[in-house]
Structure formats: structure tokens, C-alpha cells
Amino acid sequence: MIRAIRYSMRGHWLTEAVAGSFWIDHRENSGERAFWYYCPCGCRTRNRIIVGEQFKPDWPPTWEWDGSWSDPTLLPSINQTQCGWHGWLSLGYWEAI
């Protein structure tokens, strides 16, 4: 398992590029957010997924985010197609399947 580290400042997040770290973009009118993360496997792939705060947006692919900034959980699992990593972000930790 790897700890998911939240960055509040996008510039620092981009510069440091820590595996498993994340940055959450501003909220859209619909309650959706862009959840940016660096792949937890360490390949340095940066990806964006669309999340709903305590709901799963209707149009796929999307994820439900529990709203926690410090120990986030996303549902369903994340399949990182660029490197093949597949796993969960649960209670602030990334765990490969």
C-alpha cells in the first residue's frame, strides 16, 4: 500500500510528482471535480478522473469520492491503462489488486 498525499497547491504537486499524490481541481456547478493523481506504481504517469462528491456522476467513466481531503476513498477501482496498474484508493491509501 502507498499513502495518497494531498497537495493543495497545483504547482508544488506538478513539480514534486510524488507517486500516489493527488490534487483536486475546483468544483463544477454540477458538484463534479477533477481528481488529478500520479500513478501509485511510480511510473510518473499523471492522470485525471472525474469524481462526484458523495455521488457518482451519470456519464462514464466517473468515480464516487467520499469527500475526504485527507483520507479519500474512490469507487470503483482505478485501472491505469498506460502502465497496467489496477487498484483501489481507500481511506487515503492506494492498494493494487
Side-chain angles (χ1 to χ4, degrees):
M1 289 198 311
I2 201 167
R3 181 76 171 131
I5 301 168
R6 176 184 172 248
Y7 280 75
S8 58
M9 296 177 64
R10 184 175 184 264
H12 290 162
W13 176 74
L14 290 169
T15 302
E16 295 182 16
V18 175
S21 64
F22 67 97
W23 176 74
I24 302 172
D25 206 345
H26 66 280
R27 181 187 311 236
E28 300 294 328
N29 290 338
S30 63
E32 298 168 0
R33 293 181 182 263
F35 187 100
W36 291 87
Y37 68 95
Y38 279 99
C39 184
C41 82
C43 71
R44 298 182 62 87
T45 298
R46 183 177 68 217
N47 203 358
R48 174 188 71 116
I49 60 176
I50 301 301
V51 300
E53 192 169 345
Q54 300 181 350
F55 75 97
K56 186 176 185 311
D58 292 331
W59 50 277
T62 59
W63 286 258
E64 179 179 349
W65 168 45
D66 68 353
S68 174
W69 292 86
S70 58
D71 300 315
T73 295
L74 297 177
L75 293 173
S77 65
I78 296 173
N79 187 8
Q80 185 69 12
T81 57
Q82 293 90 335
C83 67
W85 187 88
H86 185 201
W88 300 93
L89 176 56
S90 181
L91 299 173
Y93 287 89
W94 296 97
E95 185 171 2
I97 292 176

